Amino acid sequence: MDKIAVEKKWNKRWTEQKVYSFNEKDVANKHYVLEMFSYPSGSKLHIGHWYNYSLTDSYARYQILKGKNVFQPMGFDAFGLPAENYAIKTGVHPQDSTLHNIEVMEEQLKNIGAMFDWDHEIKTCMPDYYKWTQWIFGELYKHGLAYRKKAPVNWCPKCNTVLANEQVVGGLCERCDSQVVKKDLTQWFFKITDYAEELLQCLDTLDWPEKTKAMQRNWIGKSVGGEIQFQLENGQGSFKVFTTRADTLFGCTYVVLAPEHALVDVITTDEHKAEVQAYKDEVAKTTEIERLSTAKEKTGVFTGAYAINPINGQKVEVWIGDYVLATYGTGAVMGVPSHDERDFKFAQKHNLGIIRVIKGATEDVDDTLPFCDDGVLVASGEFDGLTSEQARNAIVDKLATMGKGEKKVNYRLRDWLVSRQRYWGAPIPIIYCPHCGEVLDENLPVELPYDVEFTPDGTSPLAKHEKFIHDVVCPKCGAPATREADTLDTFVCSSWYFLRYPDSKNSQQAFNTEWIDKMLPVDKYVGGAEHACMHLLYARFFTKALRDMGYLHFDEPFKSLVHQGIILGPDGNRMSKSHGNVVSPDEYVGTYGSDVFRCYMAFGFRYIEGGPWSDDGIKAINKWLDRVERYVLSAYQDYPTTTDFGTEEQQLNRVRHLTIKAVDSDYNEFSFNTAVARMMELVNAIAKYDQQPTKNAQLYRDTVDDLLVLLCPLAPHIAEELWQQTGHQGSVVVQKFPAFDESATKASQVEMLVQFNSRPKVRINVDATLNAQQLQELVLKDPKVQELLQGATPKKVIAIPGRLVNIIV
RNA sequence: GCCGUUGUGGCGAAAUCGGCAGACGCAAGGGACUUAAAAUCCCUCGACCCAAAAGUCGUACCGGUUCAAGUCCGGUCAGCGGCACCA
């Protein structure tokens, strides 16, 4: 078979006949399969795309065979920096390059032979899409979930834009690895922190990889504790500290404020002013990375001020130190050197007191090290004898009655910074009016102008576009106004695309509530694990926010999530141009066709693991598919036939049904490698049966028919071609998954393993229906067993029908 | 340091509720067919021991539970991913 020609033929025919279109009338039976959409970069689809898209498509095809009404759309995450950077380098406008790349990629995606529903395609850079991205911004704004504030933000000097916390990896820009610096800027934020608790709680309800859920939990970073108020000694006011260890409060010997803390300048005494200012200057100069390094020494200086520990009235020194972060908790911590690693180091260095107030269960107290575990309180007045856990509550409760403390939960999650000082993104629909201030523009879309000078210089390219900025009046008062020049982070665009797909042509709304309530949540979402704390978190936030506004009525967008593994280069490194280990799928697809390539990827890797690329087995898969062809055609040739159903027939039928059962669950679990292995076993059984001089044609043909249907998710074109060549009506891709007949898998006689002292010794054929008692009796009577027993009486016999018999002597 | 995850032949990997470890393939070796090659088909293929039969060892390491452990329990080590001065 000329596999390439066959692929072209069927691909074309399926598209013409719309074999794959979703039936909107049968929405109750829908199965929404979604692959993370791709970024239309200039380079072609790589192995990773193929691995993700082709095998998830196999899962979708399997669902069709199982009678599901599958919705599997595709689109493009088309805004973003790479197109803009490409434009800066080459002068080709981002819109032109993006739209061109999309065309090329559409063609490539079609060649995979996947059944994407192109009628619902989305391109996020088109006004008919970003109009609704802007609308969602407006809704968030109206509900207090989008706001503007001046804050120290992450700035990438190379990309010339701010970044979200999630886009800073180890102090470096996620995209270009430049060192990120802090800048004080007024920026737009989404209030994702309002949903921190729900985002955390709902993780338990999701069928997601444990790893991903753990990463989100970690990122949200909930910590339960208390806020404790310290009065300043000389009546200059008070400040709060956040702690998870209120039980150690009696051990507090000093407090530390973040150098940026507002109170620092107020409380510093004259004699310490110079030193404090010098320290603050020093801190401002160090980079974020240096400052956050755990290896760095715990530096700090005394302010000269004192505060009162509210639980015991002790006077403690107030220090500043850069290990206290202004952006977490209250920007102030209490120092308990006896029970905290960092405080201990800090106290040692600066000669501060160390008072031990928690005793461990064991008595081997080592006072040269901090004791950081829970224990029992000592030297803590009325709280002596309480466990740490009891004391945490008791102490905060006591403080609460004094008005000096309260229980408090803190999250590490920060609000999502969405402004970007770049061109190629959705404009933020905000107008600034000299009289009314910040006004939401509801006249959408706010179109992104084409003729923009986008060479980055640290200011937003749109700011330099006179017409865009100034050709606007205030919607409230009609006065001449100006537009917001920043654009939205592309992650905003991708935070709701799965809601748009089912209703992609709706020009009146972002989506119809009633309709997407039926179509969502996504039943199976497949994409890379690298999105754990960005896209997957943002999309959940959007879903919950839109739910609370009444635009939809479900809690989570992605019910079940699968991460495909990563295909590494042959050298075991991540494929990249710099490693020079990039493998292109094109050559393989050109030589063997997409079915062979897909089957090879299916068989060669555990789907969720991935691994280093090697093409050692691709020829074998090609041969195997040829073998399938030979036997399928052989079954339909003329040969001496019989209607008998003897041992050989039973054998074949048995393997056939075991294969049906196994492949069914394998597809369902994305275990494509074992699915192929099972089908290989079936083909081996068929090959053996083919040797029979006289064959049961009915059984033989039914069996190869089943094989073609089982194979069709992984090799749709080849299966279809053979289906047609053997004279079937209709397309194989919409057949019913073969029915499993359990009785066919049961032999009347089974080979039973007999062990002596747990070591395999003898095999005897027994009736399959015997119960444990009968089995034991029969086995003990067996001559071979008798011989091994040599007259001894077994101490114990374990007989398990269907498994084994173990004789202990 | 914390969280998660993975350790099985020369290689990719299988193994249901604890029940014959290595299915299915690749590579390798041997053979059939062929003038030859390709294609196809058959056999061997964890290690040790051995003429063979039999036997011993073997799922990262140490220990435990069990008639029986890749699988369960306790501990250790290594790889991978994430977080990390978060109070």
Side-chain angles (χ1 to χ4, degrees):
Chain A
M1 179 191 307
D2 178 347
K3 298 190 182 79
I4 307 223
V6 160
E7 274 167 24
K8 283 212 178 93
K9 177 171 76 179
W10 289 110
N11 212 334
K12 184 155 170 273
R13 224 172 281 183
W14 289 331
T15 309
E16 283 164 5
Q17 295 169 2
K18 297 218 170 215
V19 176
Y20 310 131
S21 39
F22 176 71
N23 177 4
E24 303 203 341
K25 295 199 182 76
D26 187 24
V27 69
N29 191 33
K30 69 92 187 177
H31 194 84
Y32 189 168
V33 178
L34 185 62
E35 292 99 318
M36 288 180 187
F37 62 174
S38 54
Y39 181 81
S41 68
S43 41
K44 293 188 153 189
L45 291 187
H46 53 72
I47 293 225
H49 287 124
W50 273 84
Y51 192 60
N52 181 356
Y53 295 149
S54 67
L55 291 171
T56 304
D57 176 64
S58 295
Y59 170 81
R61 287 176 177 276
Y62 157 74
Q63 290 296 343
I64 285 194
L65 300 177
K66 293 296 278 186
K68 286 290 181 185
N69 182 22
V70 169
F71 181 55
Q72 189 190 17
M74 182 47 74
F76 296 92
D77 190 12
F79 272 137
L81 268 182
E84 199 167 334
N85 289 340
Y86 180 76
I88 292 157
K89 221 170 22 179
T90 64
V92 181
H93 193 279
Q95 182 176 311
D96 300 340
S97 65
T98 300
L99 294 182
H100 171 77
N101 290 343
I102 285 176
E103 261 178 59
V104 173
M105 284 180 81
E106 280 169 349
E107 232 7 76
Q108 293 185 291
L109 285 164
K110 283 171 186 164
N111 288 338
I112 288 178
M115 34 176 228
F116 299 126
D117 190 331
W118 291 105
D119 291 346
H120 289 80
E121 184 181 8
I122 283 174
K123 299 166 193 168
T124 60
C125 66
M126 304 304 276
D128 66 352
Y129 181 85
Y130 71 69
K131 170 180 180 177
W132 301 111
T133 305
Q134 292 169 336
W135 174 80
I136 292 174
F137 176 93
E139 291 304 302
L140 292 169
Y141 181 76
K142 288 186 207 162
H143 289 82
L145 292 169
Y147 66 94
R148 209 159 72 109
K149 77 168 178 197
K150 185 167 181 174
V153 297
N154 305 301
W155 176 266
C156 173
K158 183 146 175 239
C159 297
N160 272 296
T161 182
V162 299
L163 302 170
N165 273 330
E166 289 81 0
Q167 290 166 324
V168 181
V169 180
L172 304 178
C173 170
E174 181 210 22
R175 186 158 283 291
C176 70
D177 282 344
S178 306
Q179 182 137 143
V180 169
V181 298
K182 287 281 179 197
K183 262 197 180 184
D184 264 341
L185 289 173
T186 303
Q187 299 287 303
W188 285 96
F189 291 85
F190 286 165
K191 218 168 176 189
I192 190 171
T193 51
D194 269 15
Y195 287 87
E197 187 62 29
E198 200 199 331
L199 287 168
L200 182 67
Q201 293 304 325
C202 287
L203 284 173
D204 293 335
T205 68
L206 297 177
D207 171 26
W208 282 24
E210 204 43 52
K211 179 173 69 172
T212 307
K213 292 204 262 186
M215 278 167 71
Q216 289 207 355
R217 278 190 202 106
N218 211 314
W219 191 260
I220 294 166
K222 180 180 185 177
S223 73
V224 179
E227 270 185 10
I228 298 172
Q229 197 178 63
F230 281 70
Q231 211 70 39
L232 284 154
E233 182 203 31
N234 54 9
Q236 281 167 317
S238 67
F239 59 90
K240 288 176 177 171
V241 302
F242 173 73
T243 180
T244 56
R245 292 299 303 273
D247 54 316
T248 65
L249 184 53
F250 281 85
C252 170
T253 52
Y254 64 99
V255 293
V256 188
L257 306 183
E260 301 88 346
H261 198 287
L263 225 45
V264 173
D265 291 338
V266 181
I267 62 170
T268 304
T269 58
D270 288 342
E271 59 175 313
H272 288 92
K273 277 239 151 69
E275 203 188 350
V276 164
Q277 193 52 51
Y279 184 75
K280 284 178 71 172
D281 292 346
E282 194 59 36
V283 169
K285 266 192 276 174
T286 56
T287 67
E288 194 76 353
I289 302 183
E290 282 162 9
R291 181 164 170 185
L292 292 180
S293 157
T294 47
K296 187 173 159 287
E297 263 200 69
K298 304 283 169 281
T299 61
V301 293
F302 181 39
T303 61
Y306 292 86
I308 306 300
N309 183 341
I311 201 73
N312 59 7
Q314 280 291 322
K315 199 169 110 174
V316 294
E317 294 183 0
V318 180
W319 285 63
I320 62 171
D322 68 351
Y323 78 96
V324 178
L325 306 175
T327 47
Y328 183 77
T330 59
V333 300
M334 62 184 201
V336 185
S338 51
H339 304 293
D340 182 278
E341 202 83 42
R342 287 155 307 171
D343 294 350
F344 184 80
K345 281 186 196 159
F346 191 84
Q348 268 196 325
K349 182 155 190 246
H350 303 291
N351 283 317
L352 295 156
I354 300 177
I355 303 172
R356 192 178 172 97
V357 294
I358 306 286
K359 226 173 60 181
T362 52
E363 286 309 307
D364 52 333
V365 174
D366 180 358
D367 274 324
T368 60
L369 286 172
F371 175 78
C372 302
D373 293 339
D374 279 6
V376 177
L377 272 73
V378 293
S380 297
E382 60 185 288
F383 302 99
D384 279 359
L386 293 185
T387 64
S388 289
E389 202 178 335
Q390 293 164 335
R392 279 195 279 271
N393 283 314
I395 289 177
V396 177
D397 286 347
K398 170 88 184 288
L399 292 170
T401 64
M402 301 157 58
K404 301 242 170 188
E406 57 178 338
K407 298 216 165 82
K408 175 84 184 177
V409 175
N410 259 317
Y411 300 92
R412 212 156 53 209
L413 184 69
R414 306 293 153 82
D415 278 342
W416 172 17
L417 199 174
V418 295
S419 322
R420 294 294 178 273
Q421 290 71 45
R422 299 299 298 246
Y423 164 66
W424 191 232
I428 296 174
I430 289 285
I431 293 167
Y432 298 104
C433 167
H435 314 295
C436 311
E438 179 184 291
V439 182
L440 180 66
D441 188 354
E442 299 195 68
N443 182 20
L444 302 177
V446 176
E447 282 209 44
L448 184 68
Y450 184 90
D451 53 333
V452 171
E453 172 54 55
F454 40 73
T455 310
D457 58 6
T459 57
S460 302
L462 288 178
K464 289 168 272 180
H465 193 281
E466 283 298 311
K467 187 161 156 36
F468 176 83
I469 291 296
H470 294 293
D471 191 16
V472 62
V473 294
C474 173
K476 275 191 187 159
C477 70
T482 56
R483 285 196 184 282
E484 168 68 57
D486 288 354
T487 53
L488 288 168
D489 180 7
T490 49
F491 277 105
V492 177
C493 307
S494 59
S495 292
W496 72 283
Y497 76 111
F498 46 91
L499 301 173
R500 180 68 177 173
Y501 271 137
D503 204 8
S504 60
K505 300 223 165 65
N506 193 333
S507 58
Q508 305 303 307
Q509 301 163 285
F511 46 79
N512 175 282
T513 299
E514 206 185 321
W515 179 239
I516 66 156
D517 278 350
K518 289 179 185 155
M519 289 296 292
L520 276 276
V522 171
D523 294 279
K524 194 62 92 174
Y525 195 32
V526 185
E530 67 275 14
H531 289 109
C533 293
M534 294 194 275
H535 165 60
L536 287 167
L537 195 60
Y538 299 149
R540 295 181 61 216
F541 160 56
F542 264 44
T543 302
K544 290 172 191 299
L546 289 166
R547 174 203 61 195
D548 289 345
M549 297 171 197
Y551 290 116
L552 50 84
H553 301 92
F554 45 91
D555 299 317
E556 287 286 341
F558 316 122
K559 208 157 49 178
S560 177
L561 172 72
V562 173
H563 295 309
Q564 79 274 19
I566 297 168
I567 306 298
L568 304 169
D571 57 1
N573 291 309
R574 228 168 230 267
M575 280 192 202
S576 73
K577 277 181 198 151
S578 57
H579 278 119
N581 61 353
V582 177
V583 177
S584 159
D586 297 1
E587 192 190 323
Y588 299 109
V589 175
T591 310
Y592 299 104
S594 76
D595 280 2
V596 172
F597 190 60
R598 189 191 310 215
C599 287
Y600 177 61
M601 288 192 294
F603 186 57
F605 305 88
R606 231 187 307 191
Y607 188 66
I608 56 166
E609 296 286 327
W613 176 258
S614 147
D615 58 9
D616 281 351
I618 197 162
K619 275 196 187 128
I621 288 287
N622 189 44
K623 279 188 209 169
W624 177 67
L625 286 166
D626 289 343
R627 196 166 142 91
V628 169
E629 178 183 5
R630 266 200 314 281
Y631 290 115
V632 168
L633 297 180
S634 169
Y636 280 89
Q637 271 161 11
D638 287 333
Y639 43 78
T641 61
T642 172
T643 53
D644 288 354
F645 213 84
T647 319
E648 299 299 328
E649 282 74 23
Q650 278 170 29
Q651 258 313 318
L652 177 62
N653 202 36
R654 181 155 181 274
V655 178
R656 170 189 172 198
H657 282 282
L658 287 172
T659 306
I660 290 169
K661 188 182 181 192
V663 170
D664 192 357
S665 61
D666 286 346
Y667 276 148
N668 202 33
E669 290 154 22
F670 281 71
S671 183
F672 302 110
N673 56 345
T674 51
V676 175
R678 297 294 158 241
M679 287 188 270
M680 284 174 168
E681 282 175 329
L682 178 56
V683 173
N684 290 346
I686 289 171
K688 200 173 155 211
Y689 187 70
D690 192 65
Q691 303 289 305
Q692 298 294 313
T694 310
K695 295 185 262 285
N696 183 322
Q698 178 76 46
L699 172 70
Y700 196 7
R701 289 170 190 182
D702 285 352
T703 304
V704 299
D705 286 357
D706 284 354
L707 173 65
L708 287 179
V709 179
L710 294 179
L711 181 64
C712 139
L714 286 169
H717 308 93
I718 292 171
E720 183 76 303
E721 177 67 17
L722 293 173
W723 188 256
Q724 303 300 332
Q725 281 187 25
T726 48
H728 290 85
Q729 299 294 308
S731 170
V732 71
V733 302
V734 292
Q735 294 304 307
K736 258 199 154 66
F737 198 85
F740 169 59
D741 176 4
E742 191 169 1
S743 66
T745 65
K746 289 196 173 139
S748 56
Q749 289 273 305
V750 290
E751 188 181 70
M752 181 61 56
L753 173 75
V754 180
Q755 297 182 329
F756 273 70
N757 294 332
S758 309
R759 287 172 184 280
K761 289 286 178 187
V762 196
R763 280 153 214 283
I764 47 185
N765 281 314
V766 300
D767 193 319
T769 59
L770 293 183
N771 66 26
Q773 184 63 39
Q774 295 165 322
L775 181 62
Q776 177 171 338
E777 283 167 18
L778 189 92
V779 164
L780 287 176
K781 268 186 260 165
D782 185 87
K784 280 179 284 184
V785 172
Q786 286 290 328
E787 194 188 320
L788 281 159
L789 269 174
Q790 295 178 328
T793 315
K795 257 189 224 157
K796 190 174 176 184
V797 180
I798 296 113
I800 299 159
R803 297 267 191 229
L804 46 65
V805 177
N806 191 2
I807 300 170
I808 312 303
V809 291

